[in-house]
Amino acid sequence: MTMAVEVQALRAQRSVGKAILNGIMCRCPNCGKGKIFSGYLKVNDTCAECGEKLSSARADDFPPYIAIFIVGHLLVGWMLHAEMSGPVDPMFYVWTMLPLAVVLPLIMLPSIKGAVIGLQWANYMYGFNPNRATDTTPDM
């Protein structure tokens, strides 16, 4: 227990909210200026502005789960509203809901992945922990 307290005392506090907001804007969680992605979802090795190592970020499957959760709730709400407003042609769902179910998560994914990386950085998770030389296992 005391070892955990000592490790916490050695680390500087990082603002979780600021890091997540920078991630949502696809910016470096540390400085908020450099780009976090080199492509659609490809994370840069380091921030071009501050040099923060970003290659150790491991968002894995969490961002798609969040995107599907958000879009699912939006579309189910819209479907319920449409059904309760009156009779709905089944083609309404084909022409509106199916494209939205594909496009909306793809639009949201970079911002959500950036937010997850920001959360990991602020909480010293995975390779963002400077006290560990190589950190390949998830924190428990």
Side-chain angles (χ1 to χ4, degrees):
M1 182 73 171
T2 54
M3 185 173 165
V5 173
E6 290 173 13
V7 170
Q8 288 289 345
L10 294 175
R11 305 194 290 198
Q13 287 293 330
R14 294 177 175 172
S15 172
V16 176
K18 184 179 174 189
I20 290 174
L21 185 60
N22 285 339
I24 288 172
M25 295 185 302
C26 297
R27 299 288 177 197
C28 171
N30 184 34
C31 67
K33 296 176 185 172
K35 292 183 178 182
I36 203 168
F37 299 115
S38 60
Y40 175 60
L41 292 174
K42 174 77 171 124
V43 179
N44 282 326
D45 290 335
T46 58
C47 174
E49 297 291 323
C50 68
E52 180 73 30
K53 182 183 171 201
L54 301 172
S55 62
S56 57
R58 296 195 47 197
D60 297 330
D61 292 338
F62 193 43
Y65 293 148
I66 294 172
I68 291 167
F69 181 81
I70 292 169
V71 170
H73 279 78
L74 290 173
L75 293 183
V76 166
W78 188 16
M79 289 172 67
L80 288 172
H81 174 71
E83 287 292 330
M84 293 179 4
S85 296
V88 178
D89 181 24
M91 291 308 288
F92 169 78
Y93 296 117
V94 171
W95 296 115
T96 60
M97 302 294 179
L98 289 179
L100 285 174
V102 172
V103 172
L104 285 177
L106 292 175
I107 291 170
M108 291 180 187
L109 212 47
S111 293
I112 293 172
K113 184 172 182 176
V116 170
I117 291 170
L119 178 68
Q120 291 175 350
W121 176 84
N123 289 312
Y124 292 92
M125 294 172 68
Y126 301 110
F128 294 120
N129 188 346
N131 297 330
R132 294 186 183 177
T134 56
D135 190 1
T136 57
T137 59
D139 290 340
M140 297 262 177

